[in-house]
Amino acid sequence: GAGVSQTPSNKVTEKGKYVELRCDPISGHTALYWYRQSLGQGPEFLIYFQGTGAADDSGLPNDRFFAVRPEGSVSTLKIQRTERGDSAVYLCASSLDGRRTEAFFGQGTRLTVV
Amino acid sequence: DAKTTQPNSMESNEEEPVHLPCNHSTISGTDYIHWYRQLPSQGPEYVIHGLTSNVNNRMASLAIAEDRKSSTLILHRATLRDAAVYYCILTGNTPLVFGKGTRLSVIA
C-alpha cells in the first residue's frame, strides 16, 4: 500500500516568498506530525494533528509558520515570508493513533531559500 | 525538559550484539517507549515500541526495566547497515518528539 507521500520533493524559493508543503498520510491514520531537520541535527518537532485539529503546535518557531489539515487527511505546512534560515528538510509522519502505534515517515521536502 | 537520556555515541563490532540504553526516570504510567533510527541521508524509521513487557520483532528486542525508568534496545547481530542515530522517545501526553539520540558506529 501507499506510504506517506510528501510533495514537492525539492523546493527552491526566494527569500520573502510564500511556500506550501504538502503531506499525504497513510489512509486511516488520525495522527500526523510535521518536523524540520537541518544538516547534522535531529528532527525538530513542529506540530502534531489528531484528526483535523492541531493537538500540539508548540514547535512552530514563529507566526510565519502555519499548518492545516481541514479534512483530517492531507496536511499543508505553510511558510510565509521565507528566510534563509528556513532552509531544511521538512518531514511528515503519520500513525494510527499517535501514541500506541508506530509512525511512518515520508521522504521529506528539501526546502532551499535563496 | 528532555524526558529521555541516551549516550551521545556508541561503537560496536560487526556481527556482535549491541545494547543501546535509555533512561526515562520521569516516565508516567501511560507513556509508551518508542525507538526510531535514522540512517544517513534517510528519514527516521520505526524500530520497536512497548509499554511494560519486553518486546521482540524482526529488527530488534526491547527490554524494559521493571520500574520502567529505563529501557534497552538490543540489536542481536549488528551489521554495517545498522549504523545510524537511534532515538528513544516517550509518547503519552506528548507527541513523538526526538531528542539527540545515540549515534551508533559499526566497525567491520
Side-chain angles (χ1 to χ4, degrees):
Chain A
V4 177
S5 174
Q6 291 187 247
T7 53
S9 54
N10 280 285
K11 175 72 176 178
V12 180
T13 190
E14 293 181 347
K15 179 175 176 294
K17 298 288 188 185
Y18 167 84
V19 295
E20 290 190 351
L21 311 180
R22 178 186 168 107
C23 173
D24 279 84
I26 293 172
S27 177
H29 282 193
T30 63
L32 185 145
Y33 305 85
W34 282 100
Y35 302 86
R36 73 175 174 182
Q37 188 166 26
S38 301
L39 196 62
Q41 305 295 313
E44 175 192 2
F45 169 76
L46 296 177
I47 188 169
Y48 161 57
F49 286 91
Q50 263 293 355
T52 60
D56 187 332
D57 64 357
S58 61
L60 294 177
N62 51 59
D63 62 6
R64 294 188 299 105
F65 288 74
F66 190 71
V68 295
R69 194 186 185 198
E71 297 178 359
S73 177
V74 171
S75 177
T76 306
L77 178 67
K78 308 180 182 197
I79 311 174
Q80 297 178 322
R81 304 183 303 280
T82 52
E83 299 176 358
R84 291 199 178 86
D86 298 334
S87 297
V89 175
Y90 288 80
L91 294 163
C92 176
S94 72
S95 72
L96 269 175
D97 75 350
R99 187 169 74 92
R100 298 174 297 169
T101 55
E102 64 188 280
F104 296 83
F105 283 78
Q107 289 305 301
T109 293
R110 182 176 298 279
L111 176 66
T112 304
V113 182
V114 297
Chain B
D1 60 348
K3 295 178 68 174
T4 65
T5 305
Q6 300 178 251
N8 290 333
S9 62
M10 291 184 64
E11 204 172 77
S12 172
N13 292 319
E14 197 177 10
E15 299 190 5
E16 290 188 356
V18 182
H19 291 231
L20 297 162
C22 180
N23 286 317
H24 29 78
S25 58
T26 59
I27 191 170
S28 74
T30 56
D31 284 339
Y32 281 76
I33 302 161
H34 287 248
W35 284 82
Y36 285 78
R37 71 180 185 181
Q38 189 168 23
L39 281 63
S41 302
Q42 295 191 27
E45 172 186 42
Y46 168 82
V47 178
I48 199 165
H49 77 288
L51 183 61
T52 56
S53 304
N54 294 343
V55 185
N56 299 296
N57 66 21
R58 63 174 180 80
M59 287 182 70
S61 295
L62 176 59
I64 301 173
E66 196 167 334
D67 64 4
R68 301 214 319 131
K69 293 186 177 182
S70 66
S71 61
T72 303
L73 178 69
I74 302 165
L75 306 179
H76 297 287
R77 281 179 76 239
T79 68
L80 296 177
R81 194 196 170 277
D82 292 321
V85 180
Y86 286 78
Y87 298 94
C88 169
I89 305 169
L90 303 184
T91 63
N93 293 326
T94 53
L96 197 66
V97 177
F98 289 76
K100 295 188 183 303
T102 296
R103 182 173 298 277
L104 175 67
S105 302
V106 180
I107 303 167

